[in-house]
Amino acid sequence: MSEKTSLRKADKIVAVKGMNDILPPDSVVWETLEERVRNLMRRFAFENVRTPIVEPTALFVRGLGEVTDIVEKEMYSFDDRLNGEALTLRPENTAGVVRAAVEHALLYNGPRRLYYMGPMFRHERPQRGRYRQFHQIGAEALGFGGPEVDAEVILMAHLLWQELGLRGVELQINSLGQPDERKSHRAALIEHFEAHRQSLDEEAKRRLHLNPLRLLDSKNPAMQPVIETAPRLIDFLGDASQAHLQAVKDILDAHQVAYTVNPRLVRGMDYYNLTVFEFVTHKLGSQGTVCAGGRYDYLIEQIGGKPAPAVGWALGVERVLELLKESQVSMTAPALDVFAVIPDIESLPQVMPHLQALRVAGLSVQMQASGPEGMPGMKAQFKRADASGARYALIFGADELKAGVVAVKSLRDPGISQESRTLTDIAHWVPGLMPHV
Ligand code: ATP
Ligand code: MG
C-alpha cells in the first residue's frame, strides 16, 4: 500500500445485508432470555450441545430434503477454497444435532434430551422478523417415540411463554402420519393439483411431482384457495397415527393448554412425521410463527445412525424478542454497584486491588480510566459516575488513601451525606450497602 492511500480515510465497511449486530442495551434482553431458557431446559432435564456453524452441505440436502425452500434457495453454500469440500452455513440445527449424536454415539446408553442456541443462516429477503443471520434456540429429544414426549416439548415451550409473560401465542398442531399414509395422500394431492393446474405458480408446477406436500406450505396468496380445498393428510391417517395424535391432545388437555388442530400445517422440511406444531401470533404481521417443531422418527437413520425416533422444536429468538416488545415486557440489566472516582493517576496501583476485591465479592464496579491528559477532573468524574447509573461512588482521593480510608457517596439518595470508611475491610462493608447482596 502506498503512503498516500494509507493516509486516506478508509471507506466504511458495513455489516452484510440481513445480518444484525446485537448491541447494548438490546444485548441485555438477549442475555436475559438465554438465561431463562437455560433455567427452563435444566428443569426439563435437557442438556446443552454446541455444534459447528459450518457443516457438510450433504447433511442438509439429505436431512431436510432436496425439494425444500431451504435447500433450493436459502442456503449459504460454498466450496472450501483449500480442499474443495462442499460446505454450508447451517440454516437450522436439527440436522447438525442429529449428526453429532450419531457421530458420537450419544444414544448408546439410551435416549437423550438436548438443546442448543445459536445463529442460523438463510438467504431470504430481509424484513421484520426475517433475517439472513438469525438465531434459534432448539430442543431435541432423541430416541423417544412416545406421544408423551411430543407433549412434554410442547409444554416446555408453553411454559416459556408463560414465564416470559408473552400473551397471544397460539398453538396449532397436526399430524403428518407415517410414510405409507403419506404415499396415498401424495397420490390424492397430485390428482387434486393436476385438476387445478391453472391455479399453480411456476414453483408449484415444478414441485408437483417431486414433492407435492411442499405445495401446501406455499406462501403465495393466489394459491391459498387451491390449497384450502386440497385433500387433508389427517384424513389419511391409520389407527396408530390417530391414536398418537389423540394421546398428545389428551396430555395437552390435562394441562389446560389450548390448541387448534390445523390440518393445513405441514412445515418446511421433509424430515417430519406424525406430530407437527407451531406457536403462532397475530402480533408480528406475516412473520407470525415464533416456534415450530415436530416428530422426526426417520432422520437419525437417514443421517447414518441406528434407527431411533425423535421430536423437537426451534424458536426464533428475534421473533420472540419482538413479541416481548409488543407485549411490553421489559428486561433491563441490573444496575451498576460502584463507580470508582480516582483523582490521581499515580494512585492506580494502590486503588485497583480494592476494586478487584469488590469484584471478587460479587459486585459490579466501573473504574474511571485515564485519558491522554491523565485522569479527568473531579467534576467530569462525578458527571460520569451519575451517568453510569451506579448506586454508590467510591472516591479514592490521595489524602484519603494516605489515611487508609475511602469516601462513599450515595448516587441514588442525595439526602445521605458522604462519609469516610476504612479500606482494610472494604470487601465486607461495600456489599452490605447493596440491596441484592
Ligand atoms: P417461515 O415460515 O417464517 O419461513 P420456517 O418454517 O422457515 O419459518 P423453521 O425452519 O421452522 O422456520 O424455523 C423455526 C423458527 O425459526 C421459525 O418459526 C421462526 O421463528 C424462526 N425463523 C426461521 N427463519 C427465520 C429468519 N429468516 N429470520 C428470523 N427468524 C427465522
Ligand atoms: Mg422459511
Side-chain angles (χ1 to χ4, degrees):
M1 197 191 285
S2 77
E3 200 172 322
K4 207 166 157 202
T5 54
S6 72
L7 285 175
R8 210 180 53 208
K9 195 163 172 250
D11 290 334
K12 239 189 241 156
I13 296 174
V14 298
V16 176
K17 188 174 171 202
M19 305 201 180
N20 301 311
D21 298 309
I22 298 150
L23 308 171
D26 290 347
S27 51
V28 170
V29 185
W30 283 71
E31 285 189 310
T32 310
L33 175 70
E34 287 160 5
E35 239 162 71
R36 302 267 189 98
V37 168
R38 263 184 220 115
N39 181 293
L40 177 83
M41 294 292 174
R42 183 184 55 73
R43 284 177 285 150
F44 279 80
F46 278 66
E47 301 170 284
N48 184 236
V49 288
R50 300 166 193 229
T51 59
I53 283 169
V54 179
E55 293 277 4
T57 301
L59 175 67
F60 304 112
V61 175
R62 210 199 292 171
L64 277 54
E66 229 155 329
V67 187
T68 56
D69 279 353
I70 292 179
V71 172
E72 282 184 342
K73 1 179 226 209
E74 296 174 358
M75 293 205 303
Y76 283 92
S77 297
F78 56 96
D79 292 332
D80 187 312
R81 271 204 295 172
L82 300 178
N83 62 12
E85 250 183 297
L87 303 176
T88 292
L89 299 186
R90 62 186 189 191
E92 61 98 64
N93 205 28
T94 299
V97 169
V98 167
R99 197 252 328 120
V102 170
E103 188 170 334
H104 304 286
L106 290 190
L107 303 187
Y108 187 77
N109 288 319
R112 297 293 280 266
R113 292 176 170 88
L114 305 172
Y115 81 94
Y116 60 84
M117 309 187 185
M120 308 295 155
F121 303 84
R122 297 184 193 175
H123 196 101
E124 303 197 70
R125 192 169 66 78
Q127 51 196 291
R128 183 188 186 198
R130 196 175 290 288
Y131 309 99
R132 291 182 175 172
Q133 175 173 331
F134 63 100
H135 297 76
Q136 286 185 338
I137 294 173
E140 315 288 357
L142 306 182
F144 298 94
E148 72 282 2
V149 181
D150 308 28
E152 188 182 38
V153 298
I154 292 173
L155 290 166
M156 181 163 73
H158 175 82
L159 183 58
L160 181 62
W161 316 141
Q162 282 191 322
E163 293 185 346
L164 291 174
L166 285 185
R167 276 156 214 276
V169 186
E170 288 168 20
L171 171 61
Q172 300 188 349
I173 66 174
N174 191 22
S175 175
L176 297 184
Q178 297 289 16
D180 54 328
E181 294 155 353
R182 296 258 283 266
K183 224 160 146 187
S184 16
H185 175 247
R186 179 190 156 105
L189 261 189
I190 293 179
E191 197 180 323
H192 168 79
F193 285 122
E194 280 291 8
H196 296 88
R197 216 180 155 77
Q198 74 287 354
S199 323
L200 304 185
D201 59 22
E202 284 313 306
E203 180 179 86
K205 282 181 190 155
R206 184 174 56 75
R207 287 175 165 183
L208 178 53
H209 288 272
L210 295 169
N211 195 346
L213 202 60
R214 278 287 79 75
L215 271 61
L216 299 179
D217 198 29
S218 167
K219 291 184 176 102
N220 182 352
M223 277 183 44
Q224 296 314 307
V226 66
I227 290 172
E228 276 302 312
T229 53
R232 310 176 334 159
L233 185 35
I234 206 164
D235 298 325
F236 288 75
L237 300 185
D239 290 347
S241 295
Q242 274 180 22
H244 190 100
L245 179 61
Q246 190 56 48
V248 176
K249 285 162 51 175
D250 287 344
I251 296 172
L252 295 178
D253 290 338
H255 288 81
Q256 276 109 40
V257 170
Y259 58 84
T260 52
V261 175
N262 174 3
R264 306 285 162 206
L265 183 64
V266 290
R267 311 284 306 111
M269 297 83 150
D270 284 351
Y271 52 59
Y272 290 109
N273 68 301
L274 291 175
T275 317
V276 288
F277 56 88
E278 291 192 356
F279 287 94
V280 191
T281 171
H282 298 295
K283 294 184 180 168
L284 297 181
S286 49
Q287 270 58 252
T289 304
V290 292
C291 175
R295 183 159 274 293
Y296 47 94
D297 292 336
Y298 305 99
L299 182 62
I300 296 177
E301 183 177 1
Q302 220 169 310
I303 287 174
K306 221 172 99 200
V311 59
W313 52 247
L315 66 79
V317 175
E318 284 83 354
R319 292 188 195 177
V320 168
L321 294 181
E322 189 71 23
L323 190 55
L324 276 171
K325 223 189 261 168
E326 286 292 320
S327 316
Q328 292 173 348
V329 176
S330 78
M331 293 176 173
T332 45
L336 185 68
D337 293 318
V338 168
F339 189 97
V341 172
I342 309 166
D344 309 291
I345 200 164
E346 295 74 21
S347 64
L348 283 168
Q350 204 185 336
V351 171
M352 286 178 69
H354 296 301
L355 306 186
Q356 192 81 345
L358 294 179
R359 291 166 177 146
V360 169
L363 301 192
S364 55
V365 180
Q366 185 180 331
M367 173 182 81
Q368 176 62 57
S370 62
E373 261 105 60
M375 281 299 181
M378 289 297 272
K379 212 170 135 198
Q381 291 203 33
F382 274 118
K383 226 165 137 185
R384 235 170 258 170
D386 275 325
S388 75
R391 295 174 200 281
Y392 288 89
L394 294 182
I395 305 139
F396 294 90
D399 292 342
E400 276 107 345
L401 285 173
K402 232 176 266 160
V405 296
V406 63
V408 194
K409 183 175 191 289
S410 168
L411 297 173
R412 297 290 174 85
D413 190 347
I416 305 176
S417 51
Q418 191 172 310
E419 57 170 342
S420 276
R421 303 281 299 254
T422 54
L423 276 170
T424 43
D425 55 351
I426 190 168
H428 179 71
W429 58 262
V430 180
L433 298 172
M434 305 301 161
H436 60 90
V437 184

